[in-house]
Amino acid sequence: MLALWVVRLLFLVVIYGFLFAVVRVLLRDLRAASKGPAELGRLVVLASPRGEPQPGGSYPLDAVTTLGRDVNNGIVLDDPFASAEHAVLTYRGRSWYVEDLASTNGTYVNGVPVEGVGPLGFGDEVQVGEIRFRLDRGRA
Amino acid sequence: MSALAQARPRTTFRIHPRPRPTELGLLAIVAVAMVVGAAGLGATQRYRAAIEAGSPPTALDFSPPDARALLLYLLGLLVVHALFVLAGRRTDQVLLPAIGMLGGIGLLLMQRLPQDTVVQSFGSLQLGLGQLQLGWLLVALGVITVLALAVRSDAWLRTYKYTWAAAGILLLLLTFVFGSDVNGARLSLSIGPISGQPSELLKVILVVFLAGYLSENRALLADESTRIGPVRLPPLPYLAPMVAMLAIALGIVVVQRDLGAALLFYTAFLALLYVATGRPSYVIGGVALFIAGSYVLYHLFGHVQIRVDNWLDPWRDPQGAGFQTIQALYAFARGGILGVGLGAGLPTIGGRPPVPAIHTDYPLAALGEELGLIGLLAVLGLYLVVVSRGLRIAASAHDDFRSLLAAGLALVIGIQAFIIAAGNLKLIPLTGITLPLISYGGSSLLANAVVIGLLIALSDRGIEPPPPPRPPRAIRRFRLRRGPAT
């Protein structure tokens, strides 16, 4: 029965057609993801009582990013409670770490003061002075 | 009507439909595949029935065996798609068609197997295998839709991880005390008219707990501060709750003799530990522990011994313990590369399909015979698509918990498919778990629907970020240099 045989094989062909279409979508998606500059992470401003930096704004992070009131920092914080060189965020191996640079008022991760160097996961909250940030994954 | 509409606050019912062309296109291919498959199945079944009756037909009738069921299923997929479009969230567009294809293949298979394999009657209404599977598939699609659209925050999973773990353990204990035995394993729990296998749901709970715990403590776990001789371990207190959770789950499962679930839990645990810490030493240690544990279990428990002996040499007892394995191997061999075609395989022995429990534990044997090696590879490819999609969602998730949760959920489906496929093919000893989304069974379908629904919800890329507010012209140049990039 030729017709039966053809229908049978057609079923398999359509399933493979489906797989082919899916793989094309996946490849397109991967290419789009690999095109953009890879960001290691992003610091989102959750709250800043003085409005500078603006809440909701975000900073793309370098592998070593310094925070503080001094203008030479990677992220300048206009906050009277921040030290001139307050903290540094570093990306080592596969994850982020935060180091408090002996600041006067300390650096907090999820409300807990950082002593020396501490790990920082994506989604964690960092507080410097009165400004609160959240560490997010970099945008693709 | 107008008075009522005006009384409503305006913001609550704003619908922003967002077209999902990729999903629609892929669903169209699924629909074509289902129609072609059902046509082939119907024609083959009628042709064979006619030959057995002694009158080979002159013309083939290519109508599907159960057109209404097919239509209902495709309509179900379309409704889910339409709801996703109306909800307007930017979620994954590949998962729904992929599981639609897997579920559809499962539905065709259940329609093809003898309908009296499982019969449930509701009053005067008697439902056979295919109809019951259709019902469960539609419920599963509903679960997927509800979870994918309703889950916007993961706080309820993240915050209550110990509560979830406790609920999971409680569920298992209840099964142990009140459950009923199926094939020597105490697996199913009946509450009134509803019965189910809690271990299916437990795998989701386990992943939620592990993701919550690991995302909180991953940096500590990657640390090496405790040394026992040459072995360096993370601080022990941080390892304890996780190991305890796993030990309880494994212990109960071994006591319940559900080896498949135990293997699934343990593998998922190792995989998540590796994803969270990136340390191969955990995996090596875990595999070493597994080998030692298997050796002990083999010598302690009779049911483990039977499984392993049966795997090493099923021909020792071909009519008894090895019957299922041998019949499945014969089925794969009959299928060959291209298969004999849906509906044409499985010569029955005394009116029954030759492989016992073919609709739950051995659907792969039926697919292998009727679709052949090519068809099996396609089915495995579909699982691969689900897993790769899940890992992609994990890679682009916003924080560690979501990332680990997505990876864990995807891996649990992949690992389960691998364990049962390898068991069917006699690559590893058979452990009775279901082939996700294809096997017959309400608990299995619903648990996997929860997994897929959560994955789709986690894939939400959020509302598109609003354009950055434009500062007044005078200070814009100053801000460009040192302002927050939005």
Side-chain angles (χ1 to χ4, degrees):
Chain A
M1 296 309 290
L2 186 68
L4 206 56
W5 200 73
V6 169
V7 169
R8 218 181 78 200
L9 288 188
L10 194 63
F11 180 50
L12 291 175
V13 169
V14 177
I15 295 182
Y16 273 92
F18 177 79
L19 276 177
F20 180 72
V22 166
V23 168
R24 259 187 44 190
V25 173
L26 296 187
L27 276 182
R28 205 172 56 200
D29 184 53
L30 281 181
R31 286 217 186 89
S34 64
K35 247 184 214 159
E39 275 176 24
L40 296 171
R42 198 166 251 275
L43 215 51
V44 181
V45 182
L46 294 179
S48 78
R50 251 157 232 88
E52 182 62 38
Q54 284 178 357
S58 62
Y59 299 91
L61 294 175
D62 297 328
V64 176
T65 307
T66 53
L67 291 88
R69 223 177 47 227
D70 195 276
V71 288
N72 288 321
N73 285 295
I75 298 174
V76 180
L77 306 171
D78 182 19
D79 187 307
F81 295 98
S83 298
E85 288 173 355
H86 196 109
V88 59
L89 298 177
T90 45
Y91 186 78
R92 253 179 293 165
R94 294 158 43 89
S95 52
W96 280 97
Y97 296 87
V98 57
E99 184 180 358
D100 184 60
L101 299 174
S103 64
T104 312
N105 291 312
T107 307
Y108 294 80
V109 173
N110 297 331
V112 182
V114 177
E115 289 166 19
V117 185
L120 191 62
F122 291 109
D124 282 352
E125 280 187 21
V126 182
Q127 184 167 2
V128 172
E130 288 186 316
I131 305 176
R132 286 194 299 123
F133 297 100
R134 187 183 66 228
L135 179 69
D136 271 11
R137 254 165 231 280
R139 285 187 195 149
Chain B
M1 176 239 156
S2 62
L4 203 73
Q6 277 166 7
R8 263 181 209 148
R10 234 181 239 170
T11 46
T12 43
F13 284 102
R14 278 166 64 189
I15 294 174
H16 299 283
R18 177 190 295 279
R20 299 160 69 90
T22 313
E23 192 172 78
L24 191 61
L26 290 174
L27 280 176
I29 307 182
V30 172
V32 172
M34 288 308 111
V35 169
V36 171
L41 175 58
T44 312
Q45 279 180 334
R46 274 180 217 105
Y47 182 67
R48 280 166 59 97
I51 286 194
E52 269 170 36
S55 56
T58 46
L60 285 170
D61 174 11
F62 279 108
S63 57
D66 190 349
R68 228 171 24 167
L70 185 71
L71 205 67
L72 263 177
Y73 180 62
L74 294 180
L75 208 64
L77 286 175
L78 196 66
V79 167
V80 176
H81 168 75
L83 287 175
F84 282 0
V85 167
L86 281 180
R89 291 175 68 184
R90 298 201 300 164
T91 49
D92 188 280
Q93 301 194 30
V94 174
L95 278 173
L96 179 68
I99 62 122
M101 185 65 114
L102 281 170
I105 292 175
L107 181 63
L108 283 183
L109 184 68
M110 295 312 144
Q111 290 180 346
R112 179 256 166 278
L113 292 173
Q115 291 302 301
D116 56 353
T117 312
V118 180
V119 177
Q120 276 185 18
S121 36
F122 302 91
S124 62
L125 189 67
Q126 283 215 333
L127 295 182
L129 186 61
Q131 287 150 323
L132 285 171
Q133 180 79 349
L134 174 72
W136 284 120
L137 274 172
L138 292 180
V139 175
L141 284 181
V143 169
I144 290 175
T145 316
V146 168
L147 278 176
L149 297 184
V151 177
R152 306 207 74 139
S153 144
D154 51 23
W156 58 288
L157 289 172
R158 189 194 299 253
T159 318
Y160 303 113
K161 54 184 177 299
Y162 290 107
T163 315
W164 285 110
I169 297 295
L170 191 71
L171 203 61
L172 262 184
L173 284 175
L174 279 180
T175 323
F176 185 53
V177 179
F178 299 109
S180 49
D181 290 13
V182 181
N183 301 334
R186 186 164 280 201
L187 296 177
S188 71
L189 180 66
S190 309
I191 302 165
I194 308 160
S195 73
Q197 296 198 4
S199 62
E200 288 283 350
L201 204 57
L202 193 68
K203 75 184 182 197
V204 185
I205 294 176
L206 184 79
V207 168
V208 170
F209 169 75
L210 285 175
Y213 190 78
L214 288 169
S215 63
E216 253 180 24
N217 301 305
R218 67 190 281 179
L220 288 162
L221 286 167
D223 198 20
E224 308 168 328
S225 65
T226 312
R227 290 189 183 202
I228 305 173
V231 187
R232 286 196 226 155
L233 287 173
L236 287 181
Y238 291 99
L239 215 52
M242 226 166 33
V243 173
M245 162 81 191
L246 187 79
I248 294 171
L250 280 185
I252 296 175
V253 159
V254 168
V255 173
Q256 286 181 348
R257 306 185 162 194
D258 189 356
L259 298 178
L263 189 57
L264 174 64
F265 291 171
Y266 193 71
T267 320
F269 167 70
L270 279 188
L272 261 187
L273 202 54
Y274 180 70
V275 171
T277 61
R279 285 168 48 116
S281 56
Y282 279 133
V283 179
I284 297 168
V287 171
L289 270 180
F290 173 76
I291 292 172
S294 318
Y295 184 79
V296 173
L297 284 182
Y298 177 78
H299 286 282
L300 277 183
F301 294 104
H303 61 280
V304 182
Q305 226 160 4
I306 292 172
R307 291 285 166 95
V308 174
D309 290 346
N310 203 15
W311 165 58
L312 291 173
D313 185 11
W315 277 272
R316 193 182 298 172
D317 185 10
Q319 290 302 319
F323 184 72
Q324 199 180 21
T325 316
I326 292 175
Q327 292 302 326
L329 289 178
Y330 282 158
F332 283 118
R334 274 196 300 273
I337 289 179
L338 285 178
V340 295
L342 265 180
L346 295 165
T348 48
I349 297 175
R352 309 294 314 163
V355 186
I358 194 161
H359 59 299
T360 53
D361 289 2
Y362 270 100
L364 213 63
L367 289 176
E369 177 171 11
E370 308 209 325
L371 302 180
L373 176 66
I374 300 269
L376 275 195
L377 289 179
V379 169
L380 295 183
L382 288 172
Y383 285 115
L384 215 54
V385 165
V386 173
V387 173
S388 74
R389 210 53 205 168
L391 292 180
R392 180 80 186 81
I393 293 169
S396 55
H398 279 297
D399 63 26
D400 284 353
F401 174 73
R402 283 172 160 245
S403 176
L404 282 172
L405 186 59
L409 292 174
L411 285 173
V412 135
I413 287 198
I415 292 168
Q416 187 174 351
F418 172 78
I419 289 175
I420 188 63
N424 280 187
L425 288 159
K426 207 169 90 68
L427 190 66
I428 61 172
L430 179 80
T431 51
I433 52 176
T434 55
L435 190 60
L437 300 162
I438 287 187
S439 281
Y440 168 78
S443 327
S444 167
L445 274 177
L446 292 190
N448 288 312
V450 170
V451 169
I452 299 292
L454 282 178
L455 271 180
I456 294 180
L458 287 173
S459 73
D460 192 355
R461 274 179 283 167
I463 47 172
E464 266 171 305
R470 289 182 154 244
R473 194 168 272 273
I475 58 168
R476 196 191 297 165
R477 276 171 71 203
F478 170 74
R479 278 215 187 141
L480 275 181
R481 228 173 275 155
R482 223 177 272 296
T486 40

